[in-house]
């Protein structure tokens, strides 16, 4: 019987891992791993192809059965970190004297510091053209000047080019005819802010040659392996795009590694809101999932703000392999140095019989580090160290099925040496280790929860990466939160790549957007998603309006094929009730059915004037978690009347402002969230979605506010 297969490949710092997934059931068919090929002539592309071919061969997968193949890449980030970048020439453009002076200043970037400590930077040469006096000769002179300065990539950047990029495209075409690579400023983003837009395009241009070489070699190798479907690349914002689109905008692949782990987390996180941990040996990545989507922000390069959208991930130097710092009084810190950096084994992965004559030693892992890091000297001449994973195992927090499970007895003996030195019990030292780690991570969790307005009763923690259980169990119990560590957590990034959706974003600054403005930006986002590899019928668009900046964002997501089946069977109303009660941390008898549709159950544990609610779809996924909400079932004919009434009924009045409710509409099988400062804007956004329905179609309206 024929099967269809999705392939996901994640490029890590040490290993490149491939996962094959059954396209219909989403079951894992096979895994493979090779060393990441940083030093190969073709770079990490070689490892991508090696892991891909190895996975096909070891699991008897016919290349003809592969319907989707995608990989994350460290190439863009590594190119910047290592300074492996091209010289960039900027051609600033403006009209007349005033605008011209502004454009000349705003586009005259001399260089972009990538890392001031290492001296890595992007070399930039700038010149200027007055478009009121633009001639073929003037364009050619500007290009010749840049070529004389050994420029490899040209960035045409026009003042107010977002309103019309004819001149940027004209100069770009001429530069390409001269054998130069090109990236236009308004082709990267349509947002105002000439310097920031130019800088973002310059960064894209700097990595363009390197990324083109990698993309071409990877694509050729995959084609030679017999796979004919488009090769997809992971974006830093959690989506994928077709490789030909990546060749135009490689900068969008920055931070695609963390993005892969987040998308993998989403496959297993049944809640709509949560905080995810990707715990490695040295660092932990922490980010937020809200309303079923990862939190996104603009990234920085060398301290400079860009228009590159990527996951809002906080990276902390405390993880599964973080070593302990101590003195006579006890544990004073954990990390940022790890056992890997120091070249030491974790005591928890040692044999019990080897931990004899354990004695505490203090040392500096690297020159300039504090000299109070702990290692344990043994009678056999070996030295091991104490880590978060060691302490968590001794405290019984790590279960046998977890990837970081080890030898509790060996860890106990090593930690006892430190406990005896400090005059404390082993349990005291283990608790101090976890507490020091908790003190670093807890403020980050709360900071992200506050930034994205997550109420505590909405949050679930999901742990991925090999060291997840060494941190998340203790933290969840300490904070009173639900947590999960999914199966195959150690290859969650590859799973995320395999199951990721095509994603593209269109942003515009539109004061007081009309319904036609919204329709146009929505259609543009749909078209871009299709260009990036999504099928037209699969594309869905989420619209956001920032009333303070007048920025309208259209986020389009879609799949490379139309799915006809699902990995999960439908859950019953009783099963959904159990899921809701567990998430609400209460008994089933305290939870009641508020409303339901053909696609959703709504449960609450309050009254119709405001209650904590959970909206659960028929597959058992919690789609909405709110601590205070009102739910009303109505029709497409009457829904606006309900929205307008709840606009006032759910408002929270403060000293200087009125906080209006956030809304969710359940229409058919879709849940859409809406938020706006002006009611008129809210109505425009909602009407775009509801106007396609028959007047008698069911609409579930949910209005919610945060509890204060």
């Amino acid at each position: 019987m024929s099967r269809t297969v999705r392939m996901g490949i994640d490029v890590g710092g040490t290993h490149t891992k491939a996962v094959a997934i059954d396209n219909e059931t989403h079951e894992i068919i096979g895994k493979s791993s090779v060393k990441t090929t940083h030093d190969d002539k073709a770079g990490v592309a070689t490892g991508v192809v090696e892991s891909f071919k190895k996975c096909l061969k070891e699991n008897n997968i016919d290349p003809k059965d592969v319907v989707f193949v995608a990989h994350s890449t460290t190439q863009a980030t590594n190119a910047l970190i290592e300074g492996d970048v091209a010289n960039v020439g900027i051609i600033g453009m403006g009209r007349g004297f005033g605008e011209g002076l502004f454009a000349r200043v705003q586009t005259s970037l001399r260089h972009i510091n990538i890392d001031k400590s290492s001296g890595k930077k992007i070399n930039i040469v700038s010149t200027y053209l007055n478009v009121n006096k633009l001639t073929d000769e003037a364009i050619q002179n500007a290009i010749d000047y840049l070529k004389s300065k050994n420029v490899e990539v040209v960035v045409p950047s026009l003042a107010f080019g977002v309103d019309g990029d004819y001149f940027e495209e004209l100069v770009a075409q001429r530069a390409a005819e001269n054998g130069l690579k090109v990236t236009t400023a308004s082709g990267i983003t349509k947002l105002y802010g000439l310097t920031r837009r130019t800088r973002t395009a310059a960064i894209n241009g700097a990595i363009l040659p390197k990324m083109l070489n990698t993309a071409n070699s990877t694509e050729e190798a995959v084609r030679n392996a017999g796979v004919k479907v488009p090769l997809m690349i992971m974006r830093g914002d959690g989506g994928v795009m077709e490789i030909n689109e990546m060749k135009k905008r490689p900068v969008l692949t920055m931070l695609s590694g963390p993005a892969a782990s987040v998308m993998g987390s989403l496959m297993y996180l049944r809640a709509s809101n949560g905080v995810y941990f990707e715990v490695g040996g040295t660092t932990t990545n922490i980010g937020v999932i809200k309303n079923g989507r990862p939190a996104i922000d603009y990234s920085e390069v060398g301290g400079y703000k860009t228009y590159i959208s990527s996951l809002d991930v906080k990276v902390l130097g405390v993880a599964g392999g973080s070593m302990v710092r101590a003195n006579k009084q006890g544990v004073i810190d954990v990390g940022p140095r790890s056992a890997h950096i120091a070249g030491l084994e974790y005591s928890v992965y040692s044999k019990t019989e080897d931990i004899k004559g354990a004695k505490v030693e203090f040392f500096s892992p690297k020159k300039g580090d504090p000299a109070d890091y702990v290692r344990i000297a043994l009678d056999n001449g070996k030295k091991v160290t104490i880590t978060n994973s060691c302490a968590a195992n001794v405290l019984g927090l790590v279960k046998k099925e977890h990837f970081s499970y080890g030898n509790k007895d060996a860890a106990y003996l090593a930690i006892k040496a430190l406990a005896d030195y400090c005059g404390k019990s082993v349990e005291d030292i283990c608790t101090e280790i976890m507490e020091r780690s908790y003190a670093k991570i807890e403020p980050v969790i709360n900071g992200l929860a506050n930034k994205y307005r997550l109420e505590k009763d909405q949050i679930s923690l999901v742990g991925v990466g090999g060291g997840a259980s060494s941190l998340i169990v203790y933290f969840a119990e300490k904070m009173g939160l639900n947590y999960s560590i999914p199966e195959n957590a150690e290859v969650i990034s590859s799973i995320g790549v395999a199951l990721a959706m095509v994603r593209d974003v269109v942003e515009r600054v539109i004061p007081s957007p009309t319904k036609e403005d919204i329709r146009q930006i929505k259609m543009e986002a749909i078209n871009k998603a299709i260009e990036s590899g999504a099928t037209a019928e699969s594309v869905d668009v989420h619209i956001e309006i920032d009333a303070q900046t007048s920025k309208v964002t259209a986020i389009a997501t879609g799949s490379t094929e139309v799915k006809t089946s699902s990995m999960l069977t439908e859950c019953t109303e009783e099963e959904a009730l159990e899921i809701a009660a567990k998430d609400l941390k209460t008994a089933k008898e305290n939870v009641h059915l508020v409303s339901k549709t053909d696609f959703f159950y709504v449960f609450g544990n309050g009254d119709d004037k405001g209650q904590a609610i959970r909206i659960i779809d028929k597959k058992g996924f919690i789609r909405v978690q709110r601590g205070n909400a009102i739910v009303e079932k109505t029709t497409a004919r009457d829904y606006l009347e309900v929205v307008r009434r709840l606009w006032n009924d759910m408002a929270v009045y403060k000293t200087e402002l009125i906080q209006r409710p956030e809304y969710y509409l359940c229409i058919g099988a879709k849940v859409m969230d809406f938020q706006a400062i002006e009611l008129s804007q809210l109505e425009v956004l909602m009407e775009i979605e509801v106007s396609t329905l028959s007047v008698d179609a069911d609409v579930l309206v949910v209005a919610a506010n945060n509890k204060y």
Side-chain angles (χ1 to χ4, degrees):
M1 181 178 174
S2 177
R3 63 179 175 181
T4 54
V5 179
R6 299 177 72 90
M7 297 283 292
I9 305 158
D10 178 60
V11 182
T14 304
H15 292 95
T16 296
K17 300 176 180 178
V19 169
I21 295 177
D22 187 293
N23 191 45
E24 297 301 317
T25 66
H26 287 191
E27 293 176 333
I28 294 178
I29 298 169
K31 314 172 194 175
S32 69
S33 178
V34 301
K35 289 282 188 180
T36 298
T37 53
H38 295 293
D39 300 324
D40 191 89
K41 183 179 179 181
V44 298
T46 298
V48 169
V49 175
E50 285 179 357
S51 65
F52 172 74
K53 289 182 176 178
K54 184 180 178 183
C55 196
L56 290 180
K57 183 178 180 180
E58 291 180 350
N59 299 286
N60 298 314
I61 298 170
D62 189 331
K64 295 177 182 177
D65 292 340
V66 177
V67 296
F68 178 93
V69 56
H71 72 86
S72 70
T73 177
T74 59
Q75 202 77 22
T77 305
N78 288 348
L80 288 170
I81 292 173
E82 296 164 9
D84 188 7
V85 291
N87 294 332
V88 175
I90 295 174
I91 300 180
M93 292 181 283
R95 302 171 179 84
F97 178 77
E99 182 181 300
L101 181 62
F102 162 78
R104 189 188 294 268
V105 172
Q106 295 286 309
T107 60
S108 293
L109 307 181
R110 295 184 178 180
H111 62 263
I112 297 174
N113 285 319
I114 301 167
D115 185 344
K116 293 179 181 178
S117 63
S118 67
K120 303 293 186 185
K121 63 182 180 181
I122 299 171
N123 294 313
I124 296 176
V125 180
S126 299
T127 189
Y128 176 76
L129 288 173
N130 182 347
V131 298
N132 286 346
K133 300 178 180 179
L134 198 62
T135 63
D136 288 343
E137 183 181 4
I139 296 173
Q140 189 61 50
N141 288 341
I143 292 171
D144 289 341
Y145 169 72
L146 295 179
K147 289 178 71 174
S148 72
K149 299 295 184 180
N150 298 317
V151 160
E152 301 166 69
V153 183
V154 172
V155 176
S157 183
L158 173 68
F160 307 106
V162 297
D163 297 328
D165 59 359
Y166 168 76
F167 292 110
E168 285 187 0
E169 291 296 334
L170 180 65
V171 173
Q173 181 180 347
R174 178 62 64 84
E177 291 170 356
N178 278 259
L180 296 170
K181 293 179 173 58
V182 183
T183 181
T184 64
S186 58
I188 298 296
T189 176
K190 297 293 187 182
L191 292 178
Y192 292 111
L194 184 56
T195 298
R196 192 163 163 186
R197 188 167 73 248
T198 305
R199 182 188 303 125
T200 305
I203 294 169
N204 187 76
I207 62 175
L208 190 59
K210 178 80 171 181
M211 295 296 288
L212 280 173
N213 290 337
T214 301
N216 289 334
S217 60
T218 306
E219 186 176 32
E220 181 182 359
V222 170
R223 294 287 167 265
N224 290 338
V227 175
K228 304 303 180 187
V229 295
L231 177 61
M232 312 298 289
I233 311 295
M234 197 82 190
R235 295 163 50 117
D237 60 10
V240 291
M241 59 180 175
E242 208 268 329
I243 194 166
N244 288 325
E245 282 300 303
M246 189 277 277
K247 292 175 182 178
K248 302 174 188 174
R249 299 178 287 165
V251 73
L252 298 182
T253 67
M254 284 177 57
L255 300 177
S256 69
S261 68
V262 177
M263 302 320 291
S265 302
L266 281 172
M267 308 306 160
Y268 292 91
L269 181 69
R270 298 180 79 93
S272 58
N273 298 317
V275 175
Y276 60 84
F277 289 69
E278 184 190 18
V279 186
T282 304
T283 59
T284 294
N285 298 328
I286 304 176
V288 162
I289 295 166
K290 182 176 182 181
N291 294 331
R293 294 185 296 273
I296 303 290
D297 204 350
Y298 295 123
S299 61
E300 295 185 6
V301 174
Y304 298 100
K305 278 284 189 181
T306 72
Y307 282 132
I308 304 164
S309 291
S310 62
L311 269 69
D312 190 0
V313 175
K314 308 302 179 187
V315 182
L316 296 179
V318 55
S322 296
M323 294 189 297
V324 172
R325 295 174 56 199
N327 59 24
K328 271 287 186 182
Q329 283 68 51
V331 177
I332 58 174
D333 200 3
V334 177
R337 294 301 189 193
S338 67
H340 171 71
I341 296 296
L344 296 171
E345 292 184 4
Y346 303 20
S347 62
V348 75
Y349 302 132
S350 303
K351 296 179 180 178
T352 306
E353 57 268 26
D354 288 341
I355 312 296
K356 290 183 179 179
K359 294 180 182 178
V360 172
E361 290 184 353
F362 296 98
F363 75 113
S364 299
K366 295 287 183 182
K367 186 177 179 180
D369 287 346
D372 53 10
Y373 280 91
V374 174
R375 66 186 174 200
I376 305 298
L378 307 174
D379 280 350
N380 61 10
K382 290 184 178 180
K383 295 179 181 181
V384 296
T385 192
I386 298 168
T387 68
N388 276 317
S389 293
C390 303
N393 271 271
V394 170
L395 290 174
L397 301 173
V398 185
K399 299 187 173 102
K400 197 168 185 177
E401 63 268 22
H402 293 154
F403 191 77
S404 54
Y405 182 79
N407 186 345
K408 176 179 177 180
D409 294 337
Y412 182 93
L413 292 173
I415 295 172
K416 188 176 187 305
L418 178 60
D420 291 345
Y421 175 84
C422 299
K424 298 185 176 184
S425 71
V426 171
E427 289 72 18
D428 287 340
I429 293 296
C430 290
T431 301
E432 287 180 8
I433 292 171
M434 301 310 297
E435 280 292 317
R436 293 292 183 271
S437 298
Y438 177 77
K440 290 184 175 183
I441 291 181
E442 186 264 349
V444 176
I445 296 174
N446 287 332
L448 286 168
N450 290 334
K451 179 178 180 179
Y452 294 102
R453 301 177 66 191
L454 297 181
E455 296 170 84
K456 186 176 179 180
D457 63 359
Q458 302 169 22
I459 301 174
S460 297
L461 302 183
V462 58
V464 298
S469 59
S470 64
L471 295 180
I472 196 171
V473 180
Y474 186 88
F475 293 174
E477 291 179 356
K478 181 96 173 175
M479 300 182 76
L481 301 176
N482 293 329
Y483 77 91
S484 62
I485 301 174
E487 187 181 0
N488 299 303
E490 73 280 6
V491 290
I492 202 76
S493 294
S494 300
I495 295 171
V497 176
L499 298 178
M501 301 282 280
V502 174
R503 175 186 170 99
D504 222 311
V505 180
V506 175
E507 297 175 303
R508 292 281 189 283
V509 175
I510 309 175
S512 303
T514 64
K515 186 182 295 187
E516 185 56 32
D517 290 329
I518 300 297
R519 287 188 191 280
Q520 287 183 5
I521 195 171
K522 180 177 180 179
M523 186 54 62
E524 185 177 350
I526 290 172
N527 290 336
K528 287 179 76 69
I530 293 170
E531 289 175 8
S532 291
T535 59
E537 53 268 61
S538 72
V539 179
D540 190 23
V541 181
H542 172 70
I543 304 289
E544 297 175 353
I545 298 178
D546 187 325
Q548 292 182 326
T549 63
S550 297
K551 185 178 74 173
V552 181
T553 304
I555 305 167
T557 55
S559 62
T560 57
E561 60 174 343
V562 180
K563 293 291 291 176
T564 57
S565 64
S566 174
M567 60 185 282
L568 297 171
T569 57
E570 288 197 2
C571 69
T572 64
E573 184 175 322
E574 179 64 22
E575 289 170 335
L577 172 62
E578 291 179 1
I579 293 169
K582 181 180 178 181
D583 198 65
L584 288 164
K585 300 185 182 68
T586 188
K588 287 196 298 182
E589 53 266 28
N590 297 328
V591 180
H592 62 277
L593 184 69
V594 178
S595 185
K596 68 178 180 179
T597 70
D598 291 340
F599 299 93
F600 301 103
Y601 302 106
V602 185
F603 294 97
N605 67 343
D607 55 39
D608 57 7
K609 295 182 180 179
Q611 57 187 317
I613 62 104
R614 300 294 185 264
I615 299 180
I616 300 174
D617 66 21
K618 293 300 177 76
K619 303 299 182 184
F621 282 83
I622 304 174
R623 302 293 294 276
V624 175
Q625 299 164 278
R626 295 308 302 247
N628 188 46
I630 292 177
V631 181
E632 291 195 27
K633 189 174 182 180
T634 180
T635 63
R637 178 193 294 110
D638 301 324
Y639 85 98
L640 273 179
E641 179 184 334
V642 175
V643 168
R644 290 165 181 161
R645 173 163 44 81
L646 295 178
W647 179 260
N648 292 315
D649 291 351
M650 288 293 287
V652 176
Y653 293 87
K654 294 187 173 184
T655 305
E656 298 180 354
L657 54 85
I658 303 173
Q659 181 196 326
R660 296 297 181 178
E662 298 172 37
Y663 286 87
Y664 304 84
L665 295 185
C666 297
I667 302 172
K670 295 170 63 177
V671 179
M672 292 164 287
D673 55 289
F674 302 89
Q675 187 176 0
I677 294 178
E678 300 293 334
L679 180 60
S680 58
Q681 287 184 345
L682 193 73
E683 292 178 355
V684 167
L685 291 175
M686 290 181 170
E687 191 61 21
I688 295 279
E689 303 296 339
V690 180
S691 61
T692 59
L693 303 177
S694 68
V695 293
D696 295 321
D698 287 339
V699 175
L700 201 63
V701 178
V702 179
N705 57 34
N706 286 356
K707 295 181 290 185
Y708 290 90

